[in-house]
Amino acid sequence: EAYSIAKQQAQEVESGEYASALRNFRRAEDAYYNAKGWFSCDAKCQRAKDKMAFAQQEVDRVAAKRDSFMTEARREVGIWSVYGVKEIREVFWG
């Protein structure tokens, strides 16, 4: 039961917050790519680079939140449980 709840929370974070943070990062990355020059980075480029770095930090923060839910779920059931073995098989064999 606790495993299912934690896994569902992780999936909700991934489909909501994580997807949004990733979209924002990709927009910021595109803006930075379009603003930078061949060999230099002016003020506009530097602002775009800073926004991209901030967006990357947000992606990392949300990924850590998602991962903490999954860690808690795995801790509840253990690696040798039916859920743990199933997840390992999915990760290993795709």
Side-chain angles (χ1 to χ4, degrees):
E1 180 69 29
Y3 176 80
S4 300
I5 292 170
K7 191 166 182 177
Q8 181 181 6
Q9 288 174 328
Q11 289 170 344
E12 288 172 4
V13 167
E14 182 154 4
S15 66
E17 283 182 76
Y18 185 74
S20 176
L22 205 52
R23 277 192 307 273
N24 290 339
F25 171 73
R26 289 190 179 132
R27 276 196 296 270
E29 186 179 38
D30 288 342
Y32 169 63
Y33 179 80
N34 291 329
K36 71 179 181 172
W38 284 94
F39 299 106
S40 65
C41 189
D42 61 3
K44 179 182 176 184
C45 169
Q46 197 60 46
R47 283 191 303 274
K49 184 178 179 182
D50 292 342
K51 286 181 181 179
M52 184 184 73
F54 180 75
Q56 179 63 56
Q57 289 175 348
E58 183 64 12
V59 168
D60 294 344
R61 183 192 67 77
V62 175
K65 180 179 177 182
R66 176 201 60 199
D67 293 345
S68 72
F69 283 128
M70 286 307 298
T71 300
E72 183 61 33
R74 290 181 190 114
R75 189 176 302 128
E76 288 291 327
V77 296
I79 194 166
W80 297 113
S81 69
V82 173
Y83 299 111
V85 171
K86 180 181 175 188
E87 186 174 330
I88 295 297
R89 285 181 180 157
E90 288 173 0
V91 169
F92 189 73
W93 283 291

